[in-house]
């Protein structure tokens, strides 16, 4: 059997395992070992697995993951998300769809201290959806808006997916974090605009709230937004300016948030224990995915599939943008069935060499693009992990109703991808500034 055929067979085996409901990490690990065994031997497969996993797990940069994950769970268990939503509501709650727009702003702000889409959706959803229902918002709009807002946790730094992408592709994590800021803010604005558009067309979906005074807004600002601003400025600012490594930035952010929440008596002993337990569980899941993806990626490299695809693409008489669009379509389809992190880890060994080496696209730009496309998968059926997170928060809303409200937000995601294809500077402008070239 040729190396390419072996790679194809291993990929088929991987998808068979998925259909049998095997966890993604185990499916990648076992199919990768099977493929390497066919190409060489079982002994070689185990040696490669042991060497690659040890090499990656001993990488200092990978220790940034538990730091940023813990920072997110500390924010979750100390009620910072509630204060962010209150502040956002005071600003825009009086507008048509104001509470749903406030949920987007709160998701963006919460995303600045956590790198998880599920944590963002669960935190802001548990606060905002009951409030929207109390004000007689349409269930489809209220739940779908928060599920979509969770994607902001993937784009706005710190982002766990950007850390994994940076390690896997040997790109600067600091530059990747910078690349997500403008697209993240732009996506938040697009989500707010589509909410405004929908509710202006049909005011019954979202009745207006009362307008807050500037005194109330300033009081809400003092309530908790300063903590997020301070943590982001010191942690991310230090990383962007070269003062900290990614791991140090995560440690500074988590340590500062821990100190602030202890001093202000926002963190209970029970909350601290839960944050540590959830951090341990999430980090173990991510590490297992990373380790399994390393083995599967090594198989893909040995099978020479990326080189074959790259050579095939070079012979196609098609513009690079058309080929890139086809690749993104593949990402979108796969995203219907896989978690965002697993999808990126699985496909990077195949498509990264093609996109960057063959088509000549910027690797930082590509990181933003695949985060966005993978983000589409977390709000679309049948997997739609963020939708099921919100379903867990609001148990009496049918999951079909949440998916029904997702489409306008999916269109905004597609619009942002198109804008990035036309104007890649949206993602590359900040990373290329001279002040950050350190």
């Amino acid at each position: 059997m040729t190396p390419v055929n072996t790679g194809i067979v291993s990929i088929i085996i991987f998808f068979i395992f998925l259909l049998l409901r095997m966890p993604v990490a185990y499916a990648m690990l076992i199919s990768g070992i099977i493929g390497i065994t066919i190409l060489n031997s079982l002994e070689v497969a185990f040696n490669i697995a042991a060497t690659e996993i040890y090499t990656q797990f001993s990488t200092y940069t990978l220790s940034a993951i538990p730091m940023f994950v813990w920072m997110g769970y500390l924010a979750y268990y100390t009620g910072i998300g509630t204060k962010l939503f209150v502040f956002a509501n005071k600003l825009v709650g009086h507008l048509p769809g104001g509470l749903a727009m406030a949920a987007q702003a709160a998701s963006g702000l919460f995303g600045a201290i956590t790198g998880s889409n599920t944590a963002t959706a669960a935190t802001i959803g548990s606060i905002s959806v009951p409030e929207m229902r109390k004000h007689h918002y349409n269930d489809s709009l209220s739940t779908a808006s928060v599920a979509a807002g969770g994607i902001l946790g993937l784009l706005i730094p710190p982002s766990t997916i950007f850390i994994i992408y940076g390690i896997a592709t040997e790109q600067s994590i600091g530059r990747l974090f910078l690349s997500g800021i403008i697209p993240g803010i732009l996506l938040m604005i697009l989500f707010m605009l589509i909410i405004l558009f929908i509710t202006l067309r049909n005011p019954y979906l979202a009745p207006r709230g009362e307008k807050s005074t500037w005194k109330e807004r300033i009081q809400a600002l003092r309530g908790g937004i300063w903590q997020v601003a301070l943590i982001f400025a010191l942690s991310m600012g230090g990383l962007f300016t070269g003062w900290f490594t990614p791991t140090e930035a995560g440690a500074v952010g988590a340590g500062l948030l821990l100190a602030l929440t202890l001093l202000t008596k926002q963190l209970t002993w029970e909350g601290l224990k839960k944050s540590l337990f959830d951090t341990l569980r999430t980090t173990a899941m991510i590490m297992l995915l990373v380790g399994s993806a390393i083995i599967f990626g090594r198989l893909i490299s040995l099978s020479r599939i990326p080189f074959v695809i790259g050579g095939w693409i070079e012979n196609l008489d098609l513009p690079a943008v058309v080929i890139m669009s086809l690749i993104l379509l593949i990402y979108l389809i796969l995203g219907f069935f896989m978690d965002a992190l697993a999808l990126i880890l699985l496909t990077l060994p195949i498509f990264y060499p093609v996109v960057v080496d063959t088509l000549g696209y910027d690797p930082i730009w590509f990181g933003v693009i695949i985060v966005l496309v993978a983000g589409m998968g977390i709000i679309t059926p049948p997997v739609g992990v963020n939708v099921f997170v919100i379903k867990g928060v609001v148990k009496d809303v049918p999951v079909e109703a949440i998916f029904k409200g997702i489409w306008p937000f999916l269109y905004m995601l597609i619009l942002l991808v198109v804008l990035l294809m036309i104007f890649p500077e949206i993602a590359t402008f900040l990373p290329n500034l001279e002040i950050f070239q350190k």
Side-chain angles (χ1 to χ4, degrees), residues 24 28 115-118 150-151 154 159-162 164-165 285 289 331 334-348 370-379 383-386:
V24 176
M28 283 195 289
S116 167
N117 58 287
T118 52
I151 298 173
L154 294 179
S159 167
T160 303
I161 288 187
F162 275 142
I164 298 300
Y165 178 89
M285 179 270 293
L289 270 172
Y331 267 103
L334 290 176
F336 292 157
F337 307 99
M338 297 181 65
D339 174 73
L341 180 58
L343 170 63
I344 291 173
L345 287 170
L346 172 70
T347 56
L348 273 181
I370 64 170
V371 166
L372 281 171
V373 179
M376 295 179 192
I378 66 176
I379 60 171
V383 175
V385 62
N386 273 21

Side-chain angles (χ1 to χ4, degrees), residues 421-434:
M421 294 280 286
I422 300 172
F423 307 107
E425 295 81 8
I426 295 173
T428 59
F429 172 72
L430 284 180
N432 289 335
L433 285 179
E434 187 176 349

Side-chain angles (χ1 to χ4, degrees), residues 319-330:
V321 66
V322 174
I323 297 171
M324 188 68 206
S325 300
L326 293 173
I327 291 173
L328 295 181
L329 179 61
I330 293 172

